[in-house]
């Protein structure tokens, strides 16, 4: 008996080639020999179809059988499709450290047409278009009180900025997912706390480097914010996307839930509440948190229970991503959210639609902070690549005093960029923020951390390390020491000023801890990251031995120098 073969009707595969794609070598050789013009892809397919005319009927029968069975032809497109506008014919995006603009869109950096990102004047000079605030006289009584009480604390001569520009120690792959927030201990200078996307809270002593601990049983979702208890520095409050506020004992790692907005568990995305913005009012002894529906909640730190009803402070259904109490006037509360507004509230009469001032923005506001010493300035970070500065909360708040163009328009798979004040700067002008657009430094595409003078928009310094090839969106300046902590993917880095001697530099070579499996470290190196959802990657370096971190730092000519000749 002859063997029987099973006949399968596979769907027809149609390949769409780009007009600029190369033709086959055989056809080009034949055309060159005959002295004829090369045929296009469509003409070539017609010739092949004509040559095989004897098989046309059989192909048509197979196509009819495919249509009867309901299998549509599969189309494989080889045309270039732009990732920005989703239209064929061109490509846009990053190629190494160079950004190729989409011809259908304006400049990626300043959002204005007429030029490309690489030739954008704001990219060449950060102070381009920034007008320093003029000296003005006012007769406002609040401004008069400010001049009498707060202005004498500000030195008349602007001191030199001390920039932490060298990585002195690091923990590689410390967290299992990307770092989302950082917080320094209020009394112990060498303790750094960090939260990650998985809900873990890490405690790291960066002076001893190897002393670290990660508590993985705190939350089940992203830890968005952490604040220390103003009365007991051994406990910390954390707000998470699982809708809970936890009070964590740093010694034991035990946590207690102060408020749970999702007691019935997952009931769908329309009812699931996530907590984002968070701060503590020490005068009222309350923890302030806000959710993704525009509501504000208050928890009493003395009874550890929720007080009062939820108050809608932003547009219903929008995330309130930031809360900050004024350091001098704690009754003033600053909030920001996805409804393109930052608002100032008086906590003595906190009601819906009772904001003292509304600060409009063109896109989502990632963060909003009062200045750390006087509390009279406001710094906001928005998704339109703008840093906005208001010089006085007692003056005109209808428009910002300055708008500084800076590259931070990217949030997917990244922790949002937030510009933060330097708490040690008496002039209240220095801010730190990571950069999204990469720059070409000696052939490597690096994403530096920028120190910006908010009084004139100038770039004071941009610090980077050749081993950190990933984006660093989370940055925190120490409130007392010249230390910068940064989180890049799952790793933590500590930056200090480059004032160390050679003996100390040799000693710092061993101050890098690599967490995880040793075999994976030897095989894969520092660059691999198991977190597939995080686009910011990990700490990339090659070689089996841990080498000293070589610094590359660029500073603007306008950066002041200290007495030692350093910037």
């Amino acid at each position: 008996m002859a063997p029987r073969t099973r006949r399968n009707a596979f769907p027809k595969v149609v390949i769409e080639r780009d007009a600029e794609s190369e033709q086959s070598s055989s056809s080009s050789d034949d055309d060159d020999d005959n002295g004829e013009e090369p045929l296009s892809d469509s003409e070539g397919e017609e010739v092949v179809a004509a040559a095989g005319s004897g098989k046309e009927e059989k192909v048509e029968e197979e196509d009819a059988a495919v249509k009867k069975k309901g299998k549509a032809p599969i189309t494989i497109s080889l045309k270039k499709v732009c990732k920005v506008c989703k239209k064929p014919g061109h490509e846009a995006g990053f190629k190494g450290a160079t950004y190729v603009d989409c011809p259908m869109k304006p400049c990626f950096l300043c959002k204005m047409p007429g030029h490309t990102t690489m030739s954008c004047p704001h990219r060449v000079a950060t102070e381009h278009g920034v007008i320093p605030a003029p000296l003005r006289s006012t007769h406002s009584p609040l401004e008069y009180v400010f001049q009498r009480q707060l202005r004498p604390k500000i030195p008349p001569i602007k001191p030199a900025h001390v920039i932490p520009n060298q990585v002195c120690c690091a923990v590689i792959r410390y967290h299992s997912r990307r770092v989302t927030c950082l917080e320094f201990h209020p009394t112990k200078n060498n303790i750094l706390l960090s939260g990650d996307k998985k809900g873990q809270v890490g405690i790291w002593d960066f002076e001893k480097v190897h002393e670290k601990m990660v508590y993985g049983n705190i939350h089940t979702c992203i830890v968005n914010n952490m604040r220390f208890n103003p009365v007991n520095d051994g406990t910390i409050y954390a707000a998470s996307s699982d809708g809970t506020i936890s009070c964590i004992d740093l010694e034991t790692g035990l946590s207690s839930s102060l408020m749970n907005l999702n007691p019935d568990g997952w009931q769908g995305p329309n009812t699931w509440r996530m907590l984002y913005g968070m701060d503590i009012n020490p005068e009222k002894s309350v923890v302030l948190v806000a959710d993704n529906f525009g509501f504000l909640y208050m928890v009493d730190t003395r009874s550890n229970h929720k007080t009062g009803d939820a108050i809608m402070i932003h547009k219903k259904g929008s995330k309130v991503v930031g809360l900050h109490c004024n350091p001098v006037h704690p009754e003033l509360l600053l909030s920001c959210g996805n409804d393109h507004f930052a608002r100032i509230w008086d906590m003595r009469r906190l009601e819906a639609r009772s904001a003292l001032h509304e600060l409009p923005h063109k896109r989502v506001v990632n963060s909003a902070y009062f200045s750390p010493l006087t509390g009279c300035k406001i710094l906001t970070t928005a998704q339109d690549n703008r840093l906005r500065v208001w010089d006085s909360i007692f003056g005109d708040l209808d428009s910002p005093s300055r708008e500084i163009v800076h590259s931070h328009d990217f949030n997917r798979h990244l922790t949002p960029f937030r510009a933060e004040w330097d708490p040690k700067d008496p002039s209240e002008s220095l801010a730190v923020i990571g950069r999204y657009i990469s720059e070409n430094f000696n052939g490597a595409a690096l994403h530096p951390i920028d120190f910006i003078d908010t009084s004139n928009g100038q770039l004071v310094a941009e610090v980077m390390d050749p081993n950190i090839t990933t984006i660093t969106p989370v940055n925190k300046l120490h409130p007392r020491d010249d230390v910068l902590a940064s989180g890049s993917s799952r790793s933590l880095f500590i930056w200090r000023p480059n004032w160390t001697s050679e003996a100390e530099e040799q000693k710092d070579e061993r101050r890098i801890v690599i967490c995880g499996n040793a075999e994976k470290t030897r095989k894969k190196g520092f660059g691999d990251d198991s977190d597939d959802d995080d686009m910011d990657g990990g700490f990339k370096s090659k070689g089996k031995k841990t080498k000293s971190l070589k610094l590359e730092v660029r500073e603007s000519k306008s950066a002041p120098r200290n007495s030692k000749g350093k910037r």
Side-chain angles (χ1 to χ4, degrees):
M1 184 176 179
R4 299 177 60 184
T5 59
R6 184 174 58 182
R7 182 177 180 182
N8 295 330
F10 294 101
K12 184 180 179 180
V13 178
V14 180
I15 300 178
E16 296 182 359
R17 293 195 179 100
D18 193 2
E20 299 177 358
S21 61
E22 296 182 356
Q23 301 175 1
S24 60
S25 58
S26 59
S27 61
S28 61
D29 294 339
D30 295 340
D31 295 334
D32 293 340
D33 295 339
N34 297 332
E36 298 176 354
E37 295 181 359
L39 299 176
S40 63
D41 294 337
S42 59
E43 293 175 349
E45 292 175 359
E46 292 177 359
V47 173
V48 174
S53 59
K55 300 181 181 179
E56 287 182 355
E57 298 179 357
K58 186 179 293 185
V59 173
E60 291 178 358
E61 292 177 358
E62 292 179 357
D63 293 343
V66 169
K67 292 180 180 179
K68 288 181 180 180
K69 292 189 176 183
K71 294 184 178 180
I74 299 175
T75 303
I76 301 176
S77 178
L78 300 181
K79 295 181 180 180
K80 296 179 180 179
V81 178
C82 178
K83 296 181 180 180
V84 179
C85 66
K86 310 300 181 183
K87 294 183 179 181
H90 63 276
E91 291 180 325
F94 282 99
K95 291 185 178 180
T98 304
Y99 183 82
V100 180
D101 287 89
C102 174
M104 309 298 293
K105 299 289 184 179
C107 172
F108 177 77
L109 178 58
C110 67
K111 313 299 181 184
M112 300 296 291
H115 58 268
T116 63
T117 301
M118 301 307 294
S119 61
C120 179
H122 295 277
R123 178 178 175 272
V124 177
T126 57
E127 67 273 15
H128 175 77
V130 178
I131 301 175
L135 296 177
R136 58 185 180 86
S137 60
T138 178
H139 300 287
S140 171
L142 292 177
E143 185 71 16
Y144 176 78
V145 173
F146 169 73
Q147 295 288 346
R148 287 290 303 271
Q149 296 182 0
L150 300 180
R151 185 64 67 180
K153 300 180 181 179
I154 302 177
I157 300 177
K158 188 175 180 179
H161 297 302
V162 179
I163 305 299
N165 53 14
Q166 184 179 32
V167 176
C168 63
C169 57
V171 181
I172 311 303
R173 290 192 295 274
Y174 180 41
H175 286 274
S176 58
R177 302 298 291 272
R178 60 177 164 89
V179 178
T180 56
C181 57
L182 297 173
E183 194 73 20
F184 283 103
H185 198 279
T187 57
K188 299 178 181 178
N189 294 341
N190 55 334
I191 300 297
L192 176 67
L193 273 73
S194 56
D196 67 2
K197 183 180 177 180
K198 195 176 181 180
Q200 299 176 346
V201 175
I203 306 174
W204 180 34
D205 187 346
F206 54 85
E207 288 294 336
K208 301 179 181 178
V209 183
H210 288 274
E211 291 193 5
K212 59 187 183 302
M213 178 64 67
V214 177
Y215 297 124
N217 58 347
I218 306 298
H219 291 282
T220 59
C221 243
I222 307 174
V223 178
N224 292 309
N225 265 300
M226 295 185 299
R227 293 291 186 274
F228 274 92
N229 189 331
V231 179
N232 181 13
D233 59 6
T235 59
I236 190 171
Y237 298 100
S240 171
S241 292
D242 59 7
T244 62
I245 305 175
S246 62
C247 181
I248 309 167
D249 189 346
L250 300 181
E251 293 293 334
T252 61
L254 299 178
S255 64
S256 59
S257 180
L258 307 185
M259 183 180 67
N260 187 3
L261 299 181
N262 304 302
D264 299 329
W266 176 260
Q267 301 293 331
N270 295 329
T271 59
W272 185 262
R273 294 183 179 270
M274 297 178 284
L275 297 177
Y276 287 93
M278 179 182 181
D279 202 5
I280 296 179
N281 189 321
E283 284 194 353
K284 294 182 176 295
S285 300
V286 293
V287 179
L288 305 168
V289 289
D291 65 2
N292 57 326
F293 287 91
F295 287 91
L296 175 72
Y297 305 86
M298 290 184 286
V299 176
D300 194 340
T301 59
R302 294 163 293 189
S303 62
N304 288 340
H305 289 291
K306 178 182 173 182
T307 61
D309 298 329
I311 304 170
M312 189 172 66
I313 60 175
H314 279 261
K315 183 179 178 181
K316 186 176 181 180
S318 63
K319 297 179 183 178
V320 184
V321 297
L323 295 175
H324 189 217
C325 293
N326 194 293
V328 179
H329 307 282
E331 65 274 5
L332 295 180
L333 175 66
L334 180 63
S335 65
C336 62
N338 284 15
D339 59 351
H340 304 184
F341 276 95
R343 292 181 171 91
I344 303 177
W345 305 84
D346 189 348
M347 293 192 61
R348 292 169 294 188
R349 55 181 190 92
L350 193 58
E351 300 175 355
R353 300 180 181 179
S354 64
L356 299 179
H357 295 283
E358 292 187 350
L359 313 178
H361 294 70
K362 293 182 180 180
R363 288 187 62 186
V364 173
V365 187
N366 290 342
S367 64
Y369 297 104
F370 288 111
S371 53
L373 299 180
T374 63
C376 68
K377 296 183 179 181
I378 294 177
L379 172 64
T380 64
T381 307
Q383 281 296 102
D384 58 350
N385 279 343
R386 298 294 193 278
L387 304 179
R388 291 174 173 83
V389 183
W390 284 263
D391 284 332
S392 177
I393 60 175
F394 309 114
D396 184 13
L397 296 178
D398 294 336
S399 61
S401 304
R402 282 172 301 285
E403 288 188 4
I404 305 171
V405 177
H406 182 267
S407 175
H408 50 260
D409 179 15
F410 192 78
N411 262 357
R412 188 178 181 183
H413 306 308
L414 270 180
T415 304
F417 292 87
R418 301 183 180 94
E420 296 192 10
W421 299 99
D422 183 1
K424 304 177 299 299
D425 181 22
S427 63
E428 295 183 326
S429 61
L430 186 64
V432 61
I433 184 174
R435 190 189 306 179
Y436 172 63
I437 286 185
S438 59
E439 301 291 343
N440 188 358
F441 296 100
N442 297 329
L446 303 180
H447 303 265
I449 302 172
D450 295 333
F451 289 83
I452 299 176
D453 189 345
T454 60
S455 62
N456 51 24
Q458 292 184 353
L459 182 65
V460 177
E462 49 182 0
V463 299
M464 77 293 297
D465 190 279
N467 290 317
I468 308 176
T469 59
T470 54
I471 304 172
T472 310
V474 186
N475 299 281
K476 193 79 173 181
L477 284 167
H478 201 284
R480 295 171 298 277
D481 291 344
D482 296 325
V483 173
L484 169 67
S486 59
S488 180
S489 184
R490 300 183 295 162
S491 306
L492 299 179
F493 302 91
I494 297 296
W495 303 72
R496 290 184 183 274
N498 189 16
W499 293 346
T500 57
S501 60
E502 296 182 358
E504 291 178 349
E505 288 180 357
Q506 294 177 359
K507 185 178 180 181
D508 288 344
E509 292 181 3
R510 298 182 296 274
R511 296 173 66 83
I512 300 177
V513 180
I514 303 174
C515 303
N517 195 347
E519 295 182 359
K520 293 182 180 180
T521 303
R522 291 195 299 267
K523 291 180 180 179
K524 299 182 180 180
F526 294 158
D528 294 322
D529 199 332
S530 61
D531 190 359
D532 296 332
D533 294 338
D534 298 341
M535 301 298 292
D536 45 348
F539 184 88
K540 298 187 177 182
S541 178
K542 295 182 179 180
K544 297 182 180 180
K545 296 182 179 180
T546 303
K547 298 182 179 180
S548 60
L549 298 176
K550 183 180 179 182
L551 171 73
E552 291 188 10
V553 58
R554 291 198 319 189
E555 297 184 354
S556 61
K557 295 181 180 179
S558 61
R561 296 177 179 269
N562 55 16
S563 59
K564 297 183 180 180
K566 298 179 183 287
R567 294 183 185 271

